[in-house]
Amino acid sequence: MLAKRTRYIATGAIAAAVFVAVFARGAAAPAPPEVRYPPEDVSALLAARKQLQLKTADQFKVFYQFQFEDKIEQSGITYVNQIVDDAKRDYQPAHYDHGTGIAVADVDGDGLYDVYFVSQVGGNELWKNLGGGKFKNITAEAGVAVPGRISISAAFGDIDNDGDPDLFVTTVRGGNVLFENDGHGHFRDITREAGIDGAAHSSGAFFFDYDRDGLLDLLVCNIGKYTSDRKGDQGQYRALSDAFFGHMFPERFEFPVLYKNLGHNRFKDVSAEAGFKPVGWSGDATFTDLNGDGWPQVYVLNMQGADHFYENHGGKFSEQTNRYFPKTPWGAMGIKFFDYDNDGRMDLYVTDMHSDMWTDAVPEDEKKKAPMIPGEDLLMGPKSSFIFGNALYHNLGSPKFEEVSDRMGVETYWPWGPSVGDFNADGWEDIFIPSGMSFPYRYGINSLLLNNAGQKFLDSEFLLGVEPRRGGRTHKYWFEMDCAKLPADAEKHFRDACKGQTGAITVLAPYASRSAAVFDIDNDGDLDIVTNEFNSAPQILVSNLSERRRIHWLKVKLIGTASNRDGLGATVRVTSGGRTLMKYNDGKSGYLSQSSLPLYFGLGDAQRIDRVEVDWPSGGKQVITQDLRVNDVLQIKETK
C-alpha cells in the first residue's frame, strides 16, 4: 500500500487509542490558554493575497466595484452548526467531516424565501424570512428539527403538486425523513407511509421527474459504510479507522436509490428496473438535459473514483460516461450544470476536494492541480483516467466536451459544492465555492469567481469582501484538552498543539464553509449568499450591488400543470439586449442541497425584455412576448 495511506489514518484516528480530557471549569478557575492549530497566523497572508488580487483589477471587463457584508447579527439568525465528536474532539479522518447542507424555499407562501440549516448535532433549524434581511426561528412550530439524528442534506420539492414545498432530509444510519408541508409552513412526517425510510450512510438527494409523468421522483445518494457499530457519547456511530479506504472494499458499498413517485405521497424503489446502479461512493449528484430530448440525465459524483453519467431513455437509464466525460475528477465533491459562456449549451463544473488531501499545498499553488498522485491500488483505476482537481467541461455539442478548468481559472483548494449565480447582474454566471477543512488543517479561503464575459473566471473574493471574513476572523473554539494527560502515542496534531504547554489548553481551529445558497435575501434585486459553516454560525453575505449601480434583472418562477408543479427539469431562455440567456431548473445550489427558488437572470445594461421561452418537462413549449418588464418577478404557468 502506498505510504500516503498513513496520512489519512495516522493523522487522526484517536478515538480508540487516545483519551483526550475535556473538562468543565469552575467559575473561579482561570481560562486555559488558547492555542491555534495549526499555529500559523494567516492574517498577514490574507492581507498579502488581497493586495495581489487588487493588482488584477485591470483584467476585469465586468463590474466588480461592489461588496458583500456578513450581516449575521442584523439578520437575527442565531443558528450554529454542530458536529459529532469524531469530527472535533475525537477527530477521525472520516466522512463526518463533510458536514451538512442548506436549502431555501418559501415554506408558507408569503413570497419570501426561508432558510433550512442542516446540522449533525442538536437538530436542524428553519428560519422564516421576515423581509428586510430579518429572520425568525420557526423550527419548533414547523416540526422539522429531526432531533437525535445526524442530518446531512436537505431538498425541497412539491411532491404532491399542491403548490407548497415539501422537504426531504438525509441522515447517517438514522433513517431519512420526508415531510409534507400543509401550505402554511407546518410539516408532517410521512416517511414511513411514503415508503422511503431506508437507513444508510446517506448523503445528497434531489427531486426530479425522471419519467416525465408530472410527479417528482427522488434520488438519494449513499456514500458507503464508513462507521462501525460502536457508538460514541453523542449516540453517533464511531467512524472506522480506515474510513477513507472504504471505496476499496465492495462489501461496504451502499448504492444510490431511485424512488419513483406513485402519487398520493407513495414512493417505490425502482433503481433496479430503471437500470440505475453506479458503482462507487456517491456523495452527491444532479440532473440535466444535454441532448435536448426532454429526458433528464443524471450525473453521479464519486468522491473516490470515477464519476458516472447516465442517459435516460424513456425512464430507463444506461451509463454513457465515456461518451461524454472520459476523464473525471478522482475526488469529486460538488457539481453544477450551467451555461458559462452563453452559447446556449449546458457546461459542467465539478469540484474535487479529495485530491487536495494528498499534499499540503502552499497558498501560491492553490490554483494548480494536485501535484502528488497516489498509487493506482488506491485510485482503483489507472491514473490516466482521472483529473486530480476541479473540472470545467465546455460543451462543444452533445456528446463532445472539452475540459478547460485551468484555462478558465476555476481550480481552487479544498472546495465543496459550488453555487452559481450572476452576482453582478451582467448576464454572465459567476461561481461561489465554500471551502476549507478546519481541524487539523490550515485556514482555506472561500472562493468567488467572477465570470469575465465568458473568457475566464477571475478570483474576486478579496475584491468583493467575501475574504477576509467579518472582523478578520480565521479561527474559533474547537475543544479543550489537558496536555498533562496526553499519552505519548497521541496523534501528531494533538502533540503539536501541546508543545510548550503543561496543562489545560483551549484549541482553536480554522473556520470553514461547507455549503451555500444564493438568492435575493432582502428583495433589492441583487443576489446574496447564505452559507452553512462547519461547526460554526453561518455567514449572511448581503450584496450592496443595487446600491452601487443601477441593475437590470428578471426572476422567473415556474408553475407546472402538466409538468411537476415546481417545473424542475424545465429549460428557460430569456432574450434581452440582443442576446439569449439560458438556465436549466434543477434547484441545485451548494453541497448536499436542493432549493426551490425562482431562476435569476441578470440582464446587464438591457432595459427591455423581448422574449421568454420555456421548454417544460412535459414536452410543451411556451413563448411569452407581452407584459415583460425588467426588475420584476415573472410567474409563468404552464399552458396545456
Side-chain angles (χ1 to χ4, degrees), residues 35 37 486 491-500:
V35 175
Y37 193 86
L486 195 67
E491 306 293 350
K492 181 179 184 298
H493 41 264
F494 291 104
R495 288 185 279 111
D496 287 349
C498 281
K499 284 182 178 178

Side-chain angles (χ1 to χ4, degrees), residues 392-407:
L392 178 62
Y393 298 98
H394 181 215
N395 192 336
L396 303 177
S398 181
K400 294 181 180 179
F401 284 82
E402 175 188 15
E403 205 287 298
V404 296
S405 58
D406 291 335
R407 188 176 80 208

Side-chain angles (χ1 to χ4, degrees), residues 293-304:
D293 67 357
W295 292 94
Q297 301 138 7
V298 176
Y299 193 109
V300 182
L301 300 178
N302 185 357
M303 61 178 62
Q304 287 165 279

Side-chain angles (χ1 to χ4, degrees), residues 98 331-333 351-357 390 414-416 437:
H98 288 195
M333 201 59 58
T351 56
D352 177 342
M353 192 280 293
H354 274 152
S355 289
D356 287 334
M357 299 304 295
N390 300 346
W414 287 336
W416 298 93
M437 279 301 301

Side-chain angles (χ1 to χ4, degrees), residues 213-252:
D213 64 354
L215 297 171
L216 285 181
D217 311 300
L218 175 67
L219 188 139
V220 180
C221 293
N222 296 310
I223 294 176
K225 297 175 183 177
Y226 60 84
T227 64
S228 68
D229 290 332
R230 186 167 56 92
K231 288 193 174 183
D233 297 340
Q234 299 163 307
Q236 86 279 14
Y237 291 97
R238 301 304 304 268
L240 294 169
S241 62
D242 63 349
F244 273 102
F245 297 88
H247 67 289
M248 302 176 69
F249 305 96
E251 65 273 17
R252 298 188 192 179

Side-chain angles (χ1 to χ4, degrees), residues 26 85 149 218 242 262 293 312 329 379 411 416 510 556 614 628:
D85 284 341
R149 292 186 242 190
L218 175 67
D242 63 349
L262 303 175
D293 67 357
N312 186 345
L379 295 179
E411 187 60 52
W416 298 93
V556 176
V614 182
L628 297 174

Side-chain angles (χ1 to χ4, degrees), residues 120-436:
Q120 291 181 347
V121 176
N124 308 327
E125 294 186 11
L126 178 61
W127 284 80
K128 175 178 170 56
N129 191 335
L130 303 175
K134 303 290 186 181
F135 291 82
K136 173 186 175 183
N137 188 345
I138 60 168
T139 309
E141 61 195 81
V144 291
V146 196
R149 292 186 242 190
I150 300 168
S151 294
I152 300 297
S153 75
F156 279 113
D158 189 350
I159 64 170
D160 47 9
N161 289 333
D162 63 353
D164 53 57
D166 307 300
L167 174 64
F168 182 73
V169 180
T170 69
T171 76
V172 179
R173 298 181 67 176
N176 301 325
V177 189
L178 180 63
F179 292 103
E180 182 186 17
N181 189 343
D182 70 354
H184 303 287
H186 306 113
F187 293 80
R188 181 173 69 94
D189 185 341
I190 62 169
T191 311
R192 184 156 297 179
E193 61 198 75
I196 56 173
D197 56 346
H201 297 78
S202 296
S203 190
F206 64 82
F207 291 106
F208 73 134
D209 185 3
Y210 87 93
D211 54 359
R212 297 172 60 186
D213 64 354
L215 297 171
L216 285 181
D217 311 300
L218 175 67
L219 188 139
V220 180
C221 293
N222 296 310
I223 294 176
K225 297 175 183 177
Y226 60 84
T227 64
S228 68
D229 290 332
R230 186 167 56 92
K231 288 193 174 183
D233 297 340
Q234 299 163 307
Q236 86 279 14
Y237 291 97
R238 301 304 304 268
L240 294 169
S241 62
D242 63 349
F244 273 102
F245 297 88
H247 67 289
M248 302 176 69
F249 305 96
E251 65 273 17
R252 298 188 192 179
F253 285 7
E254 292 177 336
F255 297 97
V257 180
L258 176 62
Y259 292 101
K260 174 178 170 56
N261 189 335
L262 303 175
H264 307 290
N265 293 343
R266 301 290 191 275
F267 289 78
K268 175 187 176 184
D269 180 352
V270 295
S271 308
E273 63 188 77
F276 190 79
K277 192 177 182 180
V279 176
W281 282 40
S282 57
D284 213 343
T286 192
F287 65 104
T288 192
D289 179 11
L290 291 182
N291 58 16
D293 67 357
W295 292 94
Q297 301 138 7
V298 176
Y299 193 109
V300 182
L301 300 178
N302 185 357
M303 61 178 62
Q304 287 165 279
D307 297 341
H308 302 275
F309 182 72
Y310 280 83
E311 283 188 342
N312 186 345
H313 311 283
K316 302 290 185 181
F317 291 93
S318 68
E319 181 164 3
Q320 301 292 329
T321 312
N322 289 336
R323 285 185 62 224
Y324 290 85
F325 312 105
K327 292 179 69 171
T328 69
W330 179 80
M333 201 59 58
I335 184 169
K336 180 65 179 180
F337 281 98
F338 71 109
D339 182 8
Y340 80 81
D341 57 350
N342 289 341
D343 65 355
R345 295 189 291 259
M346 298 299 294
D347 309 301
L348 171 62
Y349 184 47
V350 178
T351 56
D352 177 342
M353 192 280 293
H354 274 152
S355 289
D356 287 334
M357 299 304 295
W358 296 108
T359 186
D360 293 319
V362 296
E364 304 87 76
D365 291 337
E366 290 184 4
K367 298 294 290 185
K368 301 176 182 177
K369 292 288 188 290
M372 182 175 180
I373 300 172
E376 293 183 355
D377 51 349
L378 186 138
L379 295 179
M380 303 297 286
K383 294 180 182 180
S384 59
S385 299
F386 302 110
I387 298 165
F388 296 94
N390 300 346
L392 178 62
Y393 298 98
H394 181 215
N395 192 336
L396 303 177
S398 181
K400 294 181 180 179
F401 284 82
E402 175 188 15
E403 205 287 298
V404 296
S405 58
D406 291 335
R407 188 176 80 208
M408 293 300 296
V410 297
E411 187 60 52
T412 61
Y413 194 55
W414 287 336
W416 298 93
S419 292
V420 170
D422 187 354
F423 292 116
N424 52 5
D426 63 353
W428 299 97
E429 295 273 71
D430 311 302
I431 309 172
F432 176 75
I433 309 169
S435 307

